[in-house]
Amino acid sequence: MTKKPVKPGATRVLRTKVKKKSGLKESSRRWLERHMNDPYVQRSKADGYRSRAAYKLIEIDDRYKLLKPGMKVIDLGAAPGGWCQVAAARTKSSAENPQVVGIDYLGMDAVPGATVLEMDFLDDAAPEKLVDVLGGEPDIVLSDMAAPTTGHRRTDHIRTEHLCEVAADFAISVLKPGGHFLSKTFQGGTEHTVLDLLKKNFRSVHHVKPPASRDESVELYLLAKDFKGRS
């Protein structure tokens, strides 16, 4: 790997060029180079966040003011822990009295102020376990879940949209009245089914594309605010 020189007077950002190597696909080389030169990736390392995805939640929360001290939070698809870090900091959740519970089938290091369950959210036992560990109804349910990509765009959209719909059903079944739901989805998928569900159960629903979401990415977020409550 070689580093490109920085022009005089320019902002000093290290630019890394990944050399072509035997056995490394060109598409993989380009992805690796883009990832290493991503300013959000560099910033996350400097700020101590687990991933660049933390800034997506930060930017959404800065705009909509969702997370407040004392709130109870459930984070679906929590690994590697960036959203848990942001949620714990902004709700002032402590290690002694954690108010944030995350879940992921992938293992991850502990997050101060959060409890993390290593299990699949689609496991039948997961919803009840989450609420039990949290110790009550959440004020907000977060979901940055996405299905592993297959390379077939339509299939990937449908699988991730299914996760969004399951997350929405879960949120509606557990949220406190007035609570919020934020979930990843994909543009051009089947998001209208989820959108209709959310509009029936929340007082406002927004499509959000935070600046930290890459321009070329088809991801966006559905934000449902002010849960109407269960009948």
Side-chain angles (χ1 to χ4, degrees):
M1 297 182 186
T2 60
K3 294 181 179 179
K4 297 180 180 179
V6 179
K7 294 180 180 179
T11 302
R12 189 169 182 79
V13 178
L14 291 178
R15 301 289 297 175
T16 301
K17 185 175 180 61
V18 179
K19 293 181 178 179
K20 294 181 180 180
K21 295 180 180 179
S22 176
L24 181 65
K25 293 182 179 179
E26 177 60 18
S27 59
S28 298
R29 187 194 68 80
R30 289 196 304 268
W31 180 91
L32 182 59
E33 187 169 289
R34 183 186 66 177
H35 179 75
M36 294 181 69
N37 292 316
D38 186 322
Y40 281 100
V41 172
Q42 297 177 5
R43 185 178 164 192
S44 66
K45 292 177 181 177
D47 292 346
Y49 288 118
R50 304 281 179 86
S51 68
R52 71 185 306 283
Y55 296 102
K56 298 175 188 178
L57 180 56
I58 288 170
E59 290 167 349
I60 293 172
D61 188 48
D62 284 349
R63 179 178 176 184
Y64 291 98
K65 313 300 181 188
L66 305 173
L67 297 166
K68 296 179 175 64
M71 276 188 165
K72 290 182 179 291
V73 182
I74 288 178
D75 179 16
L76 309 177
W83 279 30
C84 277
Q85 286 179 295
V86 174
R90 297 203 167 193
T91 60
K92 299 193 182 304
S93 180
S94 66
E96 296 76 21
N97 184 30
Q99 301 293 302
V100 176
V101 177
I103 185 171
D104 205 301
Y105 64 83
L106 298 174
M108 56 183 268
D109 293 337
V111 176
T115 303
V116 180
L117 305 179
E118 188 175 337
M119 64 187 300
D120 192 337
F121 173 64
L122 298 180
D123 188 316
D124 289 342
E128 184 177 353
K129 181 72 171 176
L130 281 165
V131 176
D132 286 347
V133 172
L134 187 64
E137 297 174 324
D139 296 282
I140 183 166
V141 172
L142 307 172
S143 174
D144 200 28
M145 292 191 295
T149 56
T150 64
H152 186 272
R153 182 171 176 176
R154 179 63 177 169
T155 300
D156 293 341
H157 281 198
I158 291 173
R159 293 173 67 189
T160 293
E161 194 56 34
H162 172 66
L163 291 177
C164 180
E165 188 168 354
V166 172
D169 284 335
F170 169 72
I172 290 166
S173 72
V174 299
L175 275 172
K176 290 179 182 176
H180 312 307
F181 171 65
L182 175 65
S183 178
K184 176 185 286 184
T185 185
F186 280 164
Q187 300 176 57
T190 56
E191 69 267 18
H192 296 297
T193 302
V194 180
L195 198 59
D196 289 342
L197 176 67
L198 296 177
K199 286 180 176 179
K200 290 177 182 177
N201 289 278
F202 294 82
R203 289 189 168 81
S204 67
V205 180
H206 311 265
H207 286 90
V208 186
K209 178 86 169 174
S213 181
R214 293 187 175 101
D215 291 339
E216 68 272 19
S217 172
V218 295
E219 76 172 8
L220 77 158
Y221 290 85
L222 284 176
L223 171 60
K225 296 184 68 181
D226 199 0
F227 177 53
K228 296 177 182 178
R230 292 171 288 281
S231 302

